[in-house]
Amino acid sequence: MFPAFDDVSLDADQTVAATQLLLRVAHVDGARTAEEVALIRQFYDGCRNGAPDWPAFDSLQSGTADSDAAGHFTEPAQRDVVVATCLMVAYADGALIDKELAAVHAVAAEIGMAATRVDELLALVKDYMLAQLARLPDAGSVAAVARELG
């Protein structure tokens, strides 16, 4: 996702827990949930890398997340990956609404992350998204999106 997270890896249990947390964020507002779930499936499949003994993605959508999510993510960088990915999922429908941001803050608190770190990651996600958009030829559209992200 972000170059800063290239060295961070999640094991099977961590990936399953992260995926369940991401799905929770995706279902907060009901807007473009299919696109958000597709993004989460891509995350899960990328981490799974074809391993046959992992749970099927569809089985993770039952809505029952692990009650000890904090115990899964022992490293700060792992928590950063989870929360940054939650923010990307929340933005997948084009806007981060208050309910989604509250859900991301709830996930962060659940895994033992300070609210101030969520704010730092939010700024990083915005910068990353703008950097991706900056490659587009229409500068006016990029500027409009930048105002919405701000």
Side-chain angles (χ1 to χ4, degrees):
M1 175 174 47
F2 299 112
F5 297 144
D6 284 346
D7 295 343
V8 180
S9 62
L10 302 176
D11 65 25
D13 290 338
Q14 291 168 323
T15 302
V16 167
T19 300
Q20 291 172 322
L21 294 169
L22 293 167
L23 287 165
R24 187 187 311 162
V25 171
H27 291 285
V28 166
D29 66 354
R32 300 186 65 179
T33 302
E35 290 89 342
E36 293 168 341
V37 171
L39 180 65
I40 297 165
R41 181 185 297 270
Q42 190 176 25
F43 164 83
Y44 184 74
D45 288 344
C47 291
R48 182 178 179 187
N49 199 23
D53 56 343
W54 285 33
F57 178 80
D58 292 334
S59 73
L60 303 179
Q61 297 192 65
S62 66
T64 57
D66 189 332
S67 61
D68 183 30
H72 284 294
F73 308 105
T74 56
E75 298 295 321
Q78 293 169 335
R79 292 189 291 273
D80 283 355
V81 166
V82 171
V83 172
T85 307
C86 282
L87 289 164
M88 293 291 289
V89 165
Y91 266 122
D93 62 3
L96 176 67
I97 63 170
D98 291 341
K99 283 176 64 174
E100 289 171 320
L101 185 56
V104 173
H105 273 281
V107 164
E110 190 174 330
I111 65 172
M113 178 183 283
T116 55
R117 183 62 182 151
V118 176
D119 296 337
E120 293 168 359
L121 289 171
L122 179 57
L124 180 65
V125 166
K126 288 178 182 180
D127 288 347
Y128 175 79
M129 291 171 61
L130 284 174
Q132 300 307 305
L133 292 173
R135 298 179 188 157
L136 298 175
D138 180 10
S141 295
V142 173
V145 171
R147 282 191 295 278
E148 287 182 29
L149 290 175

